[in-house]
Every structure is written in structure tokens, then in C-alpha cells.
Amino acid sequence: MVEDCCCDYETVDSINEEVLHPILQDLVKLPFFRYFKVKLWCDCPFWPDDGMCRLRDCSVCECPENEFPEPFKNPYSGLSPDSMICQEGKPQAAVDKTLDNKVFKGWVETDNPWTSDDETDNNEMTYVNLQLNPERYTGYTGDSARRIWDSIYKENCPKYPSEELCHEKKVLYKLISGLHSSISVHIAYDYLLDESTNSWGQNLPLLYDRVLKYPERVQNLYFTYLFVLRAATKAADYLEQAEYNTGNPEDDLKTQSLVKQLLYHPKLRSACPKPFDEAKLWKGENGPELKQEIQKQFRNISAIMDCVGCEKCRLWGKLQVLGLGTALKILFSVDGDNHLNQPLQLQRNEVIALFNLLNRLSESVKFVHEKGSSIEEVIKEQRPPTVQKDASKPNLKLVLFVFPVNVAVLFFAFTPHKFASSDSPAGLPLRCRV
């Protein structure tokens, strides 16, 4: 079983490959889920901007007004190109803001209490076509990248593991760790192998070093996937009746049909009816105070995304943190099974973020499952074996892919050690330390 979840690894892999991944891949390509509203340029609220680069190459031209959907023609008052800051002007780090002429209707705009962005402030928001800006390697490295993850873990996540740590705080840590693992997987999956020839491909040694070598990171990836999946299925009644209107009836009908297929698929309902049980959280007289504390910590994590010094990394960081915040909002704003009579209200951007995050996690789970069992042999062929000081190397075939045995015993059989940092945020230690 995936720890703290209601589904086992074998079932997750099977349902993901047969049902969820194919539907999600089709869904996120449709116009409704293709466009995300985001505030790309804002001041970092926690430390001064690094000023790593002030090159025109790292800025992105705004779309002409006639390319925006009709309801979104408010002028974008971002920073000037000369004051935009990104990672060393690398072209792969810039966001392509090309938009088609699509129309969205019927959605209200309300702020998410779990995230920091003011979604109603349209003057500072711009729309981005996610299909033109895939999550992949951008060259974002160095102190700025390290500081982002360092701030997330050390300042907003408790020390882990700890017997005294409450279940709710463990959940927050595991969600962030799982998201971190997924981001690392996508960097390794779509990596710039040769900059001189613009050759992209899979970097399996990187996948192994940042994710597969550590069973806890894989475990937390699966946990985060099931957590977000539970949020989507819990809000199924709401999402089924939502208005997916882009002005193209054929696309809109297909969108609604795929959403229903995803949420009500009989194989998913029978194999994993409740991926995560949120009813176990916030128990006891300190429950409300604890909820407010964790909500504040997650809002801080959301605000840290404004400090990311790479435009495309900031885009996907904001989207996925909003997706997690939407999952938290759904799971802890709606009680019982009759969702339509509950005070749940989602805005369009939250639904877009939720399903795109679910797709990102689905892709990561699929890639890890496909490569995990054979990656050690691949690594041996690609580079000579190395011995890491003070670190034990788990047998991936045993730990990750033979789950009928007692997984908890296997995980805790390995001696915790301090992970080595790298120049990338995905290489930072996942354990929070003070």
C-alpha cells in the first residue's frame, strides 16, 4: 500500500497506464485546459531580486491585443523588458505567450485561501498557452535555485521524520516532496542533452540520482498523485456540471465528456474508490488551529514562487502549487458525499491547474514505473559505478517494485542519511533540517 493512502502501488500503476494517463493526455490539449492565467513578473516578498541577468533575450514579448480572448483584453501592466530578471537569458527558460483567439465564459473569480496570488487582479495577469511551454529542463541552476527549495523546506516544512510530528504536517511535507520529485522527473525526461545541436532527450542518470535512488521520494510522488486524484474525484459532481465553454462547441463537448470519463471511470471506481482518506485529518480540539497554521505555511510556499528566477520555472511552479492548493481547498472545504450542496466554489484557473497538475503527476508516475525496474542496468552502461560516502544504495527492484511484502519495513530498514545537494533545486535534500 502507498503509505497513508487507500491504494496499492500495483493498482496505481495499472489504473494510471490504462485509464488516467490516456484521458489526461487528451484533456490537457483541449482549449479549456490549455490556457493558464498567471502573474509572471512580481517582486519577491522574501529577499531582494538577484539580478542574475537583465538581458532582452530572457524577456518574452506580449501578445498583440487581437490575440487575446475577448474577455481578457485588460492591459497587462508588467515590468519593462529591461527590468525583467531570468536565469542567464537561456532561451529554453523563456515563456512563449502566443495565444489563440478563444473565449471562456461562466466562471467566477475568487481567491484561494491556500495560495497567495490574487487571482482577481487581472491587470497584472497574462494568459499562457501551456502546450507551447512544456515543463522540462531550463538551465535554472545555482544559488537562486537552491535558495527556493531551501526556503520551502527549512522555513515552511517541519523536521522530518519525527515521531512527534503530527499526521497533518507529515501530509504537507509529503505533498511538497512528491511535487519536488515530479518536477525532477520532468527535468530528466525532457533534458537538453547537447546545447550546440539543440538535442533533447531522456537523462536517466539524472532521474536515478534525484529520484529513484531514494525510495522515500518515489513513495511521496505516488502519495501526492493519489492525494490530488482524491480531490478531483471528491469534486466530481461539481466538475461534471462545470461550464467548459471556449466558444467551440465540438471541443467543449469533448472536454466535458473526457472529464466525466476520468472522474467516473468504472475501473477507477472499483479499483481505487477513495485514493486518500481526508477524514483522518484535523481531529481533536487543536484541529482548527493546526489547519490555519498549515494553511499559512502553504501560502508562504505559494508566495515563494514569485522568487523563482526563471520565467518558465515560475510558470510551472505557480501552476502546480495552485493545483495543490486547489486540492487542499476541495478536500478541506467539502464534507460528505453530496458535493452540490456544499460551499465549494472553484474558479476556472483552479480547475485548469488541478487537472494539469494531475497530468504532470500521472506522467511522472508512468515514467518512474517504466524506467525504475531496469534503470540500474542502464546506469551501469552509461557511466562507471560510484560509491557514495555514508550512503547506502537500495535495491530498486526490491524496494520500488515488489510491494506485496511489507513496504513500511523495507523503507525504514535503510539508515537515514543527509542527501547531497546539487546545483539544481531538484537536488536539494528532501529532509527538512534546521
Side-chain angles (χ1 to χ4, degrees):
M1 298 294 290
V2 180
E3 188 181 57
D4 295 326
C5 291
C6 311
C7 206
D8 62 81
Y9 287 89
E10 185 177 359
T11 299
V12 175
D13 290 327
S14 175
I15 292 297
N16 184 54
E17 184 172 353
E18 295 177 18
V19 178
L20 299 175
H21 184 262
I23 295 176
L24 286 165
Q25 289 287 290
D26 290 339
L27 196 61
V28 297
K29 294 182 177 70
L30 290 168
F32 182 87
F33 289 102
R34 191 187 304 163
Y35 299 99
F36 179 66
K37 184 174 70 171
V38 61
K39 190 186 300 182
L40 282 176
W41 295 109
C42 9
D43 293 332
C44 174
F46 301 109
W47 55 77
D49 287 333
D50 291 320
M52 289 178 294
C53 110
R54 295 181 180 273
L55 304 177
R56 291 184 179 272
D57 292 347
C58 63
S59 64
V60 180
C61 295
E62 299 173 26
C63 293
E65 186 176 343
N66 60 8
E67 289 189 20
F68 279 88
E70 285 297 326
F72 309 145
K73 287 192 174 180
N74 293 322
Y76 171 57
S77 57
L79 301 177
S80 67
D82 287 335
S83 63
M84 288 182 175
I85 301 171
C86 76
Q87 173 64 23
E88 300 173 2
K90 292 187 179 295
Q92 61 266 22
V95 171
D96 185 335
K97 295 180 183 174
T98 305
L99 289 177
D100 294 332
N101 187 21
K102 302 295 179 183
V103 178
F104 300 93
K105 300 177 181 178
W107 290 80
V108 297
E109 291 187 331
T110 57
D111 283 334
N112 187 325
W114 290 84
T115 58
S116 66
D117 264 348
D118 181 3
E119 301 294 342
T120 64
D121 193 358
N122 287 309
N123 287 334
E124 295 188 7
M125 311 290 280
T126 188
Y127 281 82
V128 173
N129 185 335
L130 298 174
Q131 292 299 302
L132 299 180
N133 297 279
E135 183 188 21
R136 60 180 183 175
Y137 170 81
T138 63
Y140 184 44
T141 62
D143 292 340
S144 174
R146 278 195 297 270
R147 182 162 55 179
I148 296 298
W149 287 111
D150 208 30
S151 298
I152 289 174
Y153 284 115
K154 287 187 176 181
E155 298 173 20
N156 296 283
C157 141
K159 289 186 289 186
Y160 184 88
S162 170
E163 294 181 358
E164 298 179 358
L165 193 63
C166 67
H167 186 52
E168 289 81 358
K169 291 187 177 182
K170 285 184 180 179
V171 166
L172 175 62
Y173 166 79
K174 291 170 75 167
L175 287 175
I176 298 303
S177 170
L179 176 59
H180 193 172
S181 295
S182 181
I183 291 171
S184 298
V185 170
H186 281 93
I187 291 172
Y189 180 80
D190 202 357
Y191 195 85
L192 183 58
L193 301 175
D194 188 338
E195 191 167 0
S196 62
T197 60
N198 196 34
S199 175
W200 294 78
Q202 298 175 1
N203 188 332
L204 295 183
L206 188 70
L207 175 68
Y208 178 79
D209 286 340
R210 295 188 180 178
V211 181
L212 294 184
K213 189 161 61 174
Y214 307 104
E216 180 191 75
R217 301 185 185 188
V218 177
Q219 181 186 30
N220 292 338
L221 168 63
Y222 277 75
F223 173 85
T224 304
Y225 182 38
L226 290 174
F227 185 96
V228 176
L229 179 61
R230 167 57 181 160
T233 56
K234 184 172 184 177
D237 292 349
Y238 184 100
L239 296 169
E240 176 191 3
Q241 299 189 25
E243 187 174 354
Y244 301 99
N245 189 343
T246 65
N248 186 320
E250 183 178 352
D251 285 340
D252 298 343
L253 285 174
K254 186 176 182 181
T255 301
Q256 193 167 37
S257 174
L258 286 174
V259 169
K260 289 181 180 179
Q261 288 180 44
L262 179 74
L263 300 175
Y264 295 104
H265 200 286
K267 286 187 177 181
L268 173 61
R269 292 270 170 156
S270 61
C272 197
K274 182 180 279 191
F276 174 81
D277 186 4
E278 67 280 1
K280 296 179 180 179
L281 302 181
W282 322 118
K283 298 293 186 181
E285 60 181 23
N286 294 329
E289 294 179 5
L290 182 61
K291 184 176 179 180
Q292 289 183 351
E293 178 187 349
I294 293 180
Q295 192 176 70
K296 180 180 178 181
Q297 289 174 321
F298 194 84
R299 274 202 305 268
N300 285 341
I301 293 171
S302 173
I304 290 173
M305 295 300 102
D306 286 333
C307 303
V308 176
C310 158
E311 190 178 40
K312 194 169 289 182
C313 306
R314 190 182 308 124
L315 164 65
W316 282 103
K318 282 175 169 283
L319 181 145
Q320 293 180 92
V321 168
L322 177 60
L324 269 186
T326 303
L328 290 162
K329 175 180 175 180
I330 292 171
L331 291 183
F332 306 123
S333 300
V334 180
D335 298 321
D337 297 323
N338 189 4
H339 312 313
L340 294 180
N341 294 328
Q342 301 298 327
L344 173 66
Q345 190 174 47
L346 300 177
Q347 61 167 312
R348 180 184 62 245
N349 224 35
E350 290 174 332
V351 176
I352 293 169
L354 180 70
F355 279 95
N356 273 281
L357 170 61
L358 191 60
N359 180 60
R360 298 277 90 190
L361 294 167
S362 171
E363 290 177 336
S364 295
V365 165
K366 185 174 185 293
F367 190 50
V368 164
H369 176 62
E370 290 174 349
K371 300 298 181 183
S373 60
S374 61
I375 198 167
E376 284 186 310
E377 286 74 14
V378 175
I379 297 299
K380 289 178 182 177
E381 295 175 1
Q382 293 186 3
R383 70 183 183 194
T386 57
V387 178
Q388 187 176 359
K389 186 178 180 181
D390 298 328
S392 58
K393 178 180 175 183
N395 186 324
L396 286 173
K397 293 180 181 178
L398 174 66
V399 178
L400 301 179
F401 300 97
V402 187
F403 285 106
V405 297
N406 191 324
V407 179
V409 174
L410 286 176
F411 282 143
F412 287 102
F414 298 102
T415 304
H417 59 275
K418 186 174 182 179
F419 299 152
S421 299
S422 74
D423 287 340
S424 169
L428 281 167
L430 283 184
R431 302 184 187 277
C432 304
R433 299 178 182 275
V434 177

